[in-house]
Amino acid sequence: MVENSVSVIIPTMANNERIPALKRAICSVRKSSQHPVKIIVVVNGDKYDPLCLEWLERQRDVLLKVVDRPSAPFARYVGRCLVDTPFFATLDDDDQYLESALDQRIAAMDDVSHPDLVVTNGFFKRGENLRKLYYRFIVAKRDPVAGILVENWLNANNALYRAETVGEDYFLDYHPYIEFTWLGYKLALDKKVIRFLDEETFIVNCTDGSLSKSQQYYDSHLALFEKMASISPNKKVTNLIMGKIGDFYHDRSGYALRERRFKDSLVDHFYSIFKYRQLKYILYTRKIIIGIGAHFYSRLS
């Protein structure tokens, strides 16, 4: 393999349905730099297609690793342990880099601030429609810790890390389903130098069956916010986290109301407005009362 300066870690289950997207992701990495890139593909779990593994093994620029544990965050950690280049990045197997993406990030690494990571903007694609992903980088630049609670500025596709200063432990200590929010929070708390580059370098593709659409993904937010609050550096950040938890309970109250679980809806609603001081939702009480009344009226009719 030709010597290079960047590794890209791609976790994948490598099942039959993912093969076209995985090939697209790998092709996009190759087009993202004028220089050779070390592509580390970590196949996780036992649902892989043997033909996909055979194809990966034939790729001269791909380092293939297979692990039994079906976990993308763990696969990224395994991939991070295999990095032997000065810089590394990650990419989801159903997403893609834009042309020259890595070259743009490497150039930003030459900044006089000697950044530990470069964070870029990108696009979200649904069908043929593209929209810009981030609009509040200016908030994150001022205060990355608070900024990640305003607009989650780190994801699986948008950063380049300096291997010397962003070690393996950051990827071993992950939070299920929303690991990059936790990773960004830790890096910001540790005062890593972050260069925010408001240039689009990747596309997140809206994929059916994505974990980000699952109930587990939604429920994992509460545990994450509580964990973030336990190491909050100041009152400002704590208040932002409390607001996030209040929003979570409000959303869950609405879900329970739609399912006519009125007791659960009321409990979560009161948690939101009283324990987490989200008084902006106080008028929602009326909607719950109307829902309860309509339900019992229909039973009496």
Side-chain angles (χ1 to χ4, degrees), residues 22 56 92 102 108 110 115 154 156 159 214 281 285 288 290:
L22 176 60
L56 288 166
D92 278 348
L102 287 178
D110 288 335
L154 187 64
S214 67
Y281 298 130
T285 310
I288 297 175
I290 292 172

Side-chain angles (χ1 to χ4, degrees), residues 36-76:
V37 177
K38 181 177 181 179
I39 305 172
I40 303 173
V41 176
V42 183
V43 175
N44 57 102
D46 59 1
K47 305 296 184 183
Y48 57 81
D49 186 324
L51 293 178
C52 184
L53 257 61
E54 291 178 12
W55 180 83
L56 288 166
E57 288 172 342
R58 292 197 301 269
Q59 308 309 300
R60 297 181 62 184
D61 55 352
V62 171
L63 172 62
L64 175 63
K65 179 73 174 178
V66 181
V67 294
D68 293 334
R69 187 171 171 180
S71 165
F74 179 73
R76 286 192 196 94

Side-chain angles (χ1 to χ4, degrees), residues 281-299:
Y281 298 130
I282 196 165
L283 293 179
Y284 191 77
T285 310
R286 182 183 177 188
K287 189 170 184 177
I288 297 175
I289 293 172
I290 292 172
I292 294 172
H295 172 71
F296 283 105
Y297 178 79
S298 65
R299 292 185 63 182

Side-chain angles (χ1 to χ4, degrees), residues 69-269:
R69 187 171 171 180
S71 165
F74 179 73
R76 286 192 196 94
Y77 164 68
V78 171
R80 173 64 187 88
C81 293
L82 296 172
V83 169
D84 59 2
T85 52
F87 308 108
F88 70 94
T90 66
L91 179 66
D92 278 348
D93 67 349
D94 53 350
D95 298 327
Q96 62 198 98
Y97 287 154
L98 295 175
E99 191 169 344
S100 302
L102 287 178
D103 284 346
Q104 287 178 269
R105 299 179 194 182
I106 292 170
M109 276 288 185
D110 288 335
D111 187 82
V112 293
S113 63
H114 195 69
D116 298 299
L117 63 154
V118 170
V119 174
T120 66
N121 214 324
F123 294 108
F124 178 82
K125 184 176 183 181
R126 186 190 298 272
E128 296 302 315
N129 297 319
L130 282 177
R131 67 169 174 82
K132 189 174 178 179
L133 201 58
Y134 296 116
Y135 292 92
R136 299 182 180 179
F137 265 4
I138 191 169
V139 177
K141 287 178 182 179
R142 288 198 217 104
D143 186 348
V145 178
I148 205 162
L149 293 159
V150 175
E151 181 180 62
N152 181 19
W153 45 258
L154 187 64
N155 64 57
N157 310 309
N158 75 330
L160 181 68
Y161 306 86
R162 190 178 299 275
E164 183 182 8
T165 56
V166 183
E168 299 166 7
D169 289 349
Y170 281 105
F171 289 84
L172 178 60
D173 173 34
Y174 59 83
H175 186 85
Y177 302 104
I178 35 181
E179 59 271 22
F180 282 91
T181 305
W182 178 236
L183 174 61
Y185 188 67
K186 290 184 297 180
L187 290 168
L189 282 180
D190 287 347
K191 300 188 184 305
K192 297 297 183 181
V193 179
I194 306 168
R195 171 85 188 276
F196 290 92
L197 183 65
D198 197 4
E199 300 287 343
E200 291 80 16
T201 68
F202 65 95
I203 296 174
V204 173
N205 293 295
C206 182
T207 306
D208 292 337
S210 170
L211 283 175
S212 63
K213 299 180 178 65
S214 67
Q215 187 63 40
Q216 296 97 318
Y217 173 85
Y218 174 75
D219 290 341
S220 67
H221 282 74
L222 180 58
L224 173 65
F225 294 144
E226 291 173 341
K227 188 160 61 173
M228 293 170 79
S230 70
I231 55 173
S232 171
N234 54 54
K235 187 175 180 180
K236 173 186 175 182
V237 171
T238 299
N239 288 339
L240 285 170
I241 295 171
M242 292 301 103
K244 289 287 187 181
I245 297 176
D247 291 342
F248 174 88
Y249 277 111
H250 172 72
D251 290 344
R252 200 166 73 173
S253 171
Y255 182 76
L257 180 61
R258 290 190 293 274
E259 291 196 332
R260 297 188 174 185
R261 292 185 289 109
F262 300 114
K263 181 180 177 181
D264 292 340
S265 181
L266 275 172
V267 169
D268 284 343
H269 177 59

